[in-house]
Amino acid sequence: MKKMNLLQAINDALILEMRRNEKVVVFGEDVGHFGGVFRATSHLQEHFGRERCFNTPLTEQGIIGFANGLASQGSYPVAEIQFADYIFPAFDQIVNETAKFRYRSGGQFTCGSLTIRTPYGGGIAGGLYHSQSPEAYFAHTPGMKIVIPRNPYQAKGLLLASIRDDNPVLFMEPKRLYRASVCEVPEEDYTLPLGKADIVTEGSDITLLAWGAQMEVIEKAAQMANDDGVSCDVIDLRSILPWDAECVAQSVRKTGRLLINHEAPMTGGFASEIAATIQDKCFLHLEAPIARVCGLDTPYPLAHEKEYMPDHLKTYEAIKRTLDY
Amino acid sequence: MNDRNHLSNVHVTHSVNVIENGIVDIPMLQILDNEGALIADANAPEIDKEKTQKILYTMEYIRLLDERMVAAQRQGRISFYLACTGEEAATTASAAALSDDDMIMSQYREQAALAYRGYSTEQFMNQMFSNRLDPNKGRQMPIHYGDKKLNFMTISSPLGTQIPQASGYAYGQKLQGTDAVTICYFGEGAASEGDFHAGLNMAAVLKCPVIFFCRNNGYAISTPADEQFAGDGIASRGIGYGVKTIRVDGNDALAVYTATQKAREIALAENCPVLIEAMTYRLAAHSTSDDPTGYRSKEEEAKWRERDPINRFKRWVMDKGWFDEQAHEAMLSESRQAILAAVKTAEKVDVCDIDDLVNDVYDTVPWHLQEQITELKAHIKKYPDAYPKTAKGVK
């Protein structure tokens, strides 16, 4: 075990996997000698050479198009999009190409070995274009997997699993935790399962569900509720697609109440999918409407960032409303 | 760290210099004249009798297939078709200059390249009829072929997406030292997509052994080339990216063969991309959903029909004494019958199992798709008459 922050855990996972599998190739804007604007790819070029870790021209559609070709050829590309806000130029390559490669060719060709890493999320004064959480756009795309870790331990295990998974994975990294989140991380090889939620705390009165950086927020709200005598089942969804509905449903059958928190705007956010599914699977167990505590339906603002964010206080208030219903 | 100077190649001037068209003059390689005779100071490539005959046969076979399948679409037997009439030389002769290990990534009008590689009449039919023998499992529209064994990447409809993919594929070939290149076909319309820019720039910077082969046939559906770009075609752009570039007469099979052979040699030896712009003309309608009389004249088409790439090449082959009209006619009549028979066979083959609706979305079928297919099967079972193609497979 070694104390690592989220970036160090990601860097550790990349080094481990590049050493283990010589077909792993890492590229993107500024990821080469410089090691990435967040330093997630530090020393990779030094260890593995320019052929396996390199800068690309500044073109997101190019990065993912190139990655699709490389993956279909049999390499294991780990492509970086500098900020999730800038993934949209590559939307066509991801949605029409990456995700449909296997299906449209009847399984003859696939981009299954591709992993797309991208920092996402707000809370760093990033304004409109350094704060977005675009997971719901991609959750509407059959063929993709979407994974979001909440801490360094999760990040290493989930990233290794993502690179090895035989499906294209969009791996979204909560950038406000890059240096803020520190924990013990095994130095050896380990993976965590994709498509499985993680029960962080067991409780009996209400289920609180989130992912990524918002886990800290709902854990804080759960603590406040706990001080009032409310027992919360706290779940980290970890995988947005495919997502672990059975784990959430089991919890809701026990607690009868569900609150979902995410940073992305409310309308069309992934909480809508979860709420509709759980309402269907747990109709007779629900004792209150499913609560969604989300970002506002606005672009991500700068000066009003604090007001915009679905923080612990908004979550705490929603827990009380749900319990009082 | 290296010191770099991006001004090192910049030529300094002290008066305003406006750069205009015409500074770069890109010639078009031609080896055969319009009548199919070897041009006086041109050299025919070294190409043996067998390969020559295969090129000619493939071009004629594809024209035949195109005619028959356009008719089959008109009869409502297949839902869609897209002919390559007029462009047979560009795609056949370029494919002939490759090795079978080279990856082909195509747009959709390159069926001749696939036929040259060995795709059979039955395979063409199974894909077009979306039956259970279709390697795509009936999921894609007709003409979206693909064959892993023949190193022909499955076609997709979004234009230009295969261009940066070809760069990535070629990079992988280089990394693994496969001694193979990737060829990437696209039309001049697709070259206006952002992916063209991304793909060429990345290939040049990252040194990928890829041949970008542009079929400049004058039209993107109804849009003529002069509404597509204002520069000197597509070739002039290659120069801007630092990509070695060749412009060739796309209706001259020998010129296309020579250009592609040279491009392959450069790409492999120097690990770099090469752009070929083949100047040709889309004699066919864009597709069976298009009627070109709405946007171009019969006279224009007639002019290009005189420069038919097949006749031109055939004359040269005849002059060499490598072509026997009688044997050829027998071969064509055999193909014609084989195509008609294959249509009849393929249209009788069932569609894939209903489970193939959810297979291959992922490597395995996840829980939510399992739920959806189970529900769908129960529904089909309840209303079998409404789903005649699949009902008998759902018990």
Side-chain angles (χ1 to χ4, degrees):
Chain A
M1 289 285 200
K2 191 177 167 186
K3 263 203 173 0
M4 292 185 200
N5 67 28
L6 195 73
L7 282 168
Q8 288 163 332
I10 287 162
N11 189 247
D12 190 62
L14 291 172
I15 288 175
L16 191 153
E17 196 59 7
M18 288 180 87
R19 203 163 273 154
R20 201 186 73 97
N21 178 358
E22 61 171 24
K23 289 188 172 175
V24 175
V25 181
V26 174
F27 52 91
E29 294 156 14
D30 306 296
V31 307
H33 174 77
F34 181 60
V37 294
F38 292 105
R39 303 305 167 86
T41 56
S42 289
H43 309 299
L44 298 187
Q45 194 175 82
E46 210 175 290
H47 291 322
F48 303 103
R50 280 179 79 122
E51 294 221 305
R52 292 184 60 200
C53 174
F54 53 88
N55 288 337
T56 64
L58 203 163
T59 167
E60 287 76 17
Q61 66 190 90
I63 291 169
I64 303 302
F66 187 90
N68 284 337
L70 197 49
S72 68
Q73 186 272 341
S75 297
Y76 282 72
V78 181
E80 179 178 308
I81 297 293
Q82 202 159 69
F83 286 86
D85 312 64
Y86 305 127
I87 204 166
F88 301 112
F91 201 71
D92 183 45
Q93 280 286 350
I94 297 173
V95 172
N96 277 331
E97 299 292 318
T98 311
K100 297 173 174 57
F101 232 84
R102 186 197 307 266
Y103 190 73
R104 73 186 185 201
S105 68
Q108 292 191 87
F109 298 99
T110 139
C111 290
S113 56
L114 169 61
T115 306
I116 303 169
R117 291 180 41 247
T118 190
Y120 86 96
I124 60 145
L128 279 77
Y129 306 112
H130 299 84
S131 309
Q132 293 180 57
S133 301
E135 67 271 16
Y137 291 105
F138 295 98
H140 198 56
T141 308
M144 288 302 296
K145 288 193 176 183
I146 306 168
V147 175
I148 309 183
R150 71 172 184 277
N151 63 31
Y153 172 76
Q154 298 286 326
K156 179 173 172 182
L158 289 171
L159 181 55
L160 286 173
S162 297
I163 298 172
R164 294 171 196 177
D165 192 84
D166 196 17
N167 297 281
V169 179
L170 176 59
F171 190 82
M172 298 174 60
E173 300 164 3
K175 63 177 158 311
R176 80 166 180 268
L177 301 186
Y178 265 160
R179 290 190 169 79
S181 178
V182 179
C183 70
E184 294 285 337
V185 177
E187 285 174 271
E188 63 271 15
D189 187 347
Y190 68 96
T191 58
L192 295 170
L194 306 188
K196 290 274 171 236
D198 184 37
I199 301 165
V200 178
T201 319
E202 295 220 40
S204 53
D205 297 329
I206 184 169
T207 304
L208 305 185
L209 180 66
W211 48 89
Q214 289 304 98
M215 286 309 297
E216 286 192 338
V217 170
I218 64 167
E219 286 184 74
K220 205 163 165 186
Q223 191 54 54
M224 289 171 73
N226 191 48
D227 294 344
D228 297 341
V230 177
S231 157
C232 302
D233 221 33
V234 178
I235 302 177
D236 175 6
L237 193 59
R238 293 200 297 200
S239 281
I240 305 297
L241 189 69
W243 66 287
D244 193 352
E246 198 36 50
C247 171
V248 181
Q250 251 176 33
S251 165
V252 174
R253 281 181 210 121
K254 172 179 72 177
T255 63
R257 294 175 180 86
L258 174 63
L259 180 154
I260 311 153
N261 175 304
H262 62 61
E263 280 180 53
M266 168 93 85
T267 303
F270 198 66
S272 315
E273 181 57 39
I274 296 168
T277 304
I278 296 302
Q279 187 254 166
D280 184 43
K281 289 188 185 291
C282 307
F283 191 69
L284 294 175
H285 296 86
L286 282 170
E287 290 171 37
I290 295 168
R292 288 181 291 162
V293 182
C294 307
L296 270 57
D297 286 335
T298 66
Y300 196 101
L302 182 67
H304 286 146
E305 177 170 54
K306 226 174 159 38
E307 289 72 18
Y308 169 93
M309 284 290 265
D311 64 6
H312 61 287
L313 293 174
K314 291 178 185 173
T315 308
Y316 171 64
E317 284 302 314
I319 293 171
K320 289 199 289 184
R321 279 199 301 277
T322 304
L323 281 158
D324 292 345
Y325 186 82
Chain B
M1 253 182 289
N2 299 329
D3 277 340
R4 290 168 166 122
N5 180 6
H6 69 282
L7 286 181
S8 58
N9 294 323
V10 174
H11 173 86
V12 176
T13 175
H14 303 292
S15 56
V16 181
N17 239 318
V18 177
I19 314 295
E20 289 180 46
N21 278 344
I23 284 197
V24 183
D25 177 20
I26 306 167
M28 178 173 85
L29 174 69
Q30 214 170 52
I31 291 177
L32 295 177
D33 68 16
N34 284 345
E35 274 67 54
L38 198 64
I39 291 169
D41 60 345
N43 292 317
E46 271 184 41
I47 180 166
D48 62 25
K49 182 175 167 186
E50 196 189 350
K51 195 173 240 186
T52 306
Q53 288 174 332
K54 190 176 172 189
I55 293 172
L56 182 59
Y57 172 68
T58 303
M59 292 200 285
E60 301 221 66
Y61 167 79
I62 281 297
R63 184 157 296 181
L64 207 57
L65 181 74
D66 281 355
E67 282 166 10
R68 297 292 147 182
M69 297 323 290
V70 168
Q73 194 279 335
R74 296 281 179 254
Q75 295 164 348
R77 298 167 95 166
I78 53 171
S79 57
F80 180 78
Y81 194 72
L82 196 148
C84 69
T85 313
E87 300 176 52
E88 293 92 344
T91 41
T92 311
S94 53
L98 302 173
S99 144
D100 284 348
D101 296 334
D102 295 338
M103 172 52 73
I104 297 177
M105 292 198 183
S106 83
Q107 177 166 303
Y108 49 50
R109 212 182 292 284
E110 294 90 1
Q111 54 266 50
L114 183 55
Y116 189 88
R117 271 284 163 94
Y119 210 57
S120 70
T121 304
E122 288 69 27
Q123 286 176 300
F124 275 114
M125 291 306 158
N126 291 331
Q127 198 286 323
M128 282 186 271
F129 281 92
S130 335
N131 64 26
R132 68 187 306 135
L133 300 173
D134 168 17
N136 299 343
K137 302 183 186 171
R139 291 165 185 155
Q140 288 217 76
M141 285 173 77
I143 67 108
H144 291 63
Y145 313 110
D147 191 324
K148 187 154 179 131
K149 286 195 208 87
L150 295 179
N151 286 317
F152 191 96
M153 179 67 75
T154 301
I155 294 166
S156 74
S157 306
L159 285 184
T161 48
Q162 80 280 17
I163 303 174
Q165 289 171 12
S167 307
Y169 200 98
Y171 188 86
Q173 289 171 315
K174 179 178 83 168
L175 273 191
Q176 284 160 31
T178 58
D179 257 1
V181 304
T182 297
I183 190 166
C184 177
Y185 292 102
F186 51 91
E188 90 288 348
S192 295
E193 292 283 359
D195 274 340
F196 168 88
H197 157 70
L200 266 76
N201 193 36
M202 289 188 82
V205 170
L206 298 168
K207 302 184 170 46
C208 310
V210 52
I211 302 169
F212 297 111
F213 192 103
C214 178
R215 295 174 293 98
N216 185 346
N217 63 18
Y219 288 91
I221 307 186
S222 75
T223 305
D226 63 6
E227 292 176 28
Q228 196 67 245
F229 47 77
D232 180 13
I234 309 305
S236 64
R237 298 183 202 163
I239 296 159
Y241 290 114
V243 172
K244 296 182 189 217
T245 299
I246 306 168
R247 176 175 279 158
V248 62
D249 182 342
N251 286 17
D252 176 352
L254 283 191
V256 170
Y257 184 83
T258 305
T260 312
Q261 208 175 32
K262 182 75 185 167
R264 185 176 191 276
E265 190 187 302
I266 295 171
L268 260 190
E270 301 176 32
N271 271 324
C272 70
V274 180
L275 170 65
I276 297 175
E277 182 183 28
M279 310 306 288
T280 180
Y281 188 82
R282 196 197 73 211
L283 277 172
H286 164 69
S287 73
T288 48
S289 311
D290 170 53
D291 174 12
T293 58
Y295 51 82
R296 68 187 191 193
S297 69
K298 289 277 173 210
E299 293 73 36
E300 182 185 299
E301 288 179 20
K303 228 183 282 171
W304 278 90
R305 218 162 256 126
E306 285 167 22
R307 293 150 93 168
D308 187 297
I310 299 182
N311 289 337
R312 207 160 143 188
F313 188 59
K314 196 189 274 180
R315 284 291 301 276
W316 180 73
V317 187
M318 281 174 107
D319 288 349
K320 292 212 58 121
W322 285 353
F323 172 68
D324 174 340
E325 193 73 72
Q326 212 179 345
H328 209 67
E329 197 40 59
M331 188 164 66
L332 284 180
S333 134
E334 199 179 300
S335 297
R336 206 173 285 130
Q337 279 165 17
I339 290 168
L340 290 175
V343 167
K344 282 183 191 148
T345 308
E347 66 188 350
K348 286 195 198 97
V349 178
D350 281 345
V351 291
C352 282
D353 293 338
I354 189 68
D355 290 290
D356 277 325
L357 179 56
V358 296
N359 288 333
D360 298 326
V361 177
Y362 295 92
D363 58 342
T364 56
V365 182
W367 68 268
H368 63 295
L369 276 177
Q370 246 147 24
E371 277 186 12
Q372 289 168 22
I373 193 70
T374 304
E375 214 171 284
L376 176 62
K377 282 187 190 168
H379 176 80
I380 293 172
K381 217 169 142 185
K382 196 167 175 189
Y383 296 99
D385 297 343
Y387 309 94
K389 278 189 191 171
T390 49
K392 67 176 169 163
V394 179
K395 299 284 184 243

